[in-house]
Amino acid sequence: MIVDMKAEDITADYKEITLTLYGGITRKVLYTEIETPYPDGKLIVSTTDKNGVITHVNQAFIEMSGYTESELINSPHSILRHPDMPSAAFKDLWDTVNKGERWQGYVKNLRKDGGYYWVKATVIPNIRHGQVVGYTSVRRKPSRTKVEECIKLYPTLF
Amino acid sequence: MSYVFTVSPDFTPDHLSGWYIFNTWLQKQSGEAIHLEMYNSFQTQREAIQNNQIDLIYANPFDASMLVREKGFLPLVKASGISDEAIIAVNIKNSVQEIVRLLSASNTSSDAFLFDAVTTDNPEIKSELQPRSADFRYKVAMTEDPDVNMMGMIMLEAGDLNAGNIQTHICDSYVLVAKQLLQGNVDFGIFLAEAYDDLSNMIKKQLRVLVRSQISVIHHSLMIGPKLADRREELQNLLITMNDNQKGKDILASLKFDSWVKVDDEEMEFMIDLMDALAT
């Protein structure tokens, strides 16, 4: 379940856009220019089912996304999709993990308050008894050098 | 039939007698002959695991994947409230305040802890900084503890450091990692947080923690091999109830543990997935 973002949740001047997410869902997102720095020493961890629906989040995920645990569980992971992220990145992610391989990349995530945070994300398939049952995504603090490369690169991929 | 029990070589020396006492307790409770074999390196311990010589292990999380997926080990318990965390520390004289853009700094002083780091947001200062020379290598002291090193390298990665552009100094203990920092031989030290916290105040006064991990879900686990698999539930129950009496509590205290808590298969699989994700 994913819903449009609400103006009352946004903490600064914002822009508005309607995104088409993985699976054909559309969502109105409101976004600001406010970055939340990635906290030192923490990992953001979540698991999803095979369709990318969130089944588990850790405390760092809750704190950085701005959502409550109950808002995140059963939502598609694309609740974090920021309009500055090219869809090619997520196509590559799904193409890779659907082959049973790990995906790694730098991602600008959207917070509930319209702000954003950069992560280095690794997504791996969870294989139980030989079957893919879901995916684990682990995000760590990214190198600012790499983030700046992505800030230049990603707009060219639209 | 005698079984062989071993402990991850990263245990601190003051826990050694505790493991022998624990093994004596375990033999008495289980009615099995269990020999405690201590290895002084991860490499020799892994060779023994590969040769199917180990039946019970207090395992480093880094080895959990191999134990479960290649050797058929099953998790029993973990120590309650204890997770493996890492610290990156520097000499107190080191000017680095945070791990960011370390390779962009202009000072390539050979005195390890005298370099300048880019910790400013002032664009005028940043524009003056030039990349370090290609052959410059930060020096990082660490032990052979694989999960702590992995966590430490993840934290250094945020500053553009990786195994390919640092010079590592492998030490036999965390005290020696601290010594390398104190003597100015290295720029950074990677510590098990518990080991850093146990350093004397005199040493810690000369060091500074740059970053401490707060991961919470990476932990050592007591695991059994295939020959003991049918005793799993019984052994789990023995261990979980160990702190119900004073003798069990005293033995746990000698290991600096409060109690054991059960680790089920899915919790172990989750940690293995996490370690797999972090290992790249």
Side-chain angles (χ1 to χ4, degrees), chain A residues 2-5 16-31 78-87 90 108 110 158:
Chain A
I2 193 166
V3 295
D4 288 341
M5 292 175 72
E16 183 177 323
I17 193 170
T18 298
L19 294 179
T20 302
L21 305 176
Y22 181 79
I25 317 163
T26 59
R27 185 190 193 206
K28 183 172 78 176
V29 302
L30 314 175
Y31 61 105
S78 51
I79 193 171
L80 303 178
R81 171 78 182 275
H82 194 283
D84 290 349
M85 282 300 297
S87 56
F90 297 105
K108 185 178 186 177
L110 180 64
F158 282 86

Side-chain angles (χ1 to χ4, degrees), chain B residues 7 35 47 55 72 74 79-80 93 111 119-120 167 184 208 214 218 230 238 240 243 273:
Chain B
V7 176
H35 167 67
E47 284 168 8
D55 304 300
L74 298 167
S80 167
K93 296 174 188 167
D111 293 324
T119 57
T120 176
Q167 186 180 325
R208 180 159 44 84
Q214 301 170 67
I218 295 176
D230 59 350
L238 279 174
I240 291 165
N243 65 331
D273 283 338

Side-chain angles (χ1 to χ4, degrees), chain A residues 40-43 45 47 56 102 104 120 122 124-126 128 136 138 140-145 148, chain B residues 69 98-101 154-155 157-158 160 211-215 266 269-270 273-274 276-280:
Chain A
D40 276 328
K42 291 195 177 181
L43 295 177
V45 182
T47 54
H56 164 83
R102 77 184 58 222
Q104 202 161 59
K120 180 180 179 183
T122 306
I124 63 162
N126 304 135
R128 305 287 183 270
T136 293
V138 185
R140 61 182 90 168
K141 184 175 182 176
S143 141
R144 285 313 295 185
T145 312
E148 279 156 21
Chain B
R69 294 184 179 167
E98 62 176 322
I99 297 172
V100 60
R101 293 189 184 91
I154 284 171
M155 293 193 283
E157 184 189 347
D160 298 315
V211 57
R212 176 189 288 258
S213 74
Q214 301 170 67
I215 296 173
E266 185 49 38
E269 289 290 345
F270 175 78
D273 283 338
L274 189 64
D276 279 356
L278 293 174
T280 55

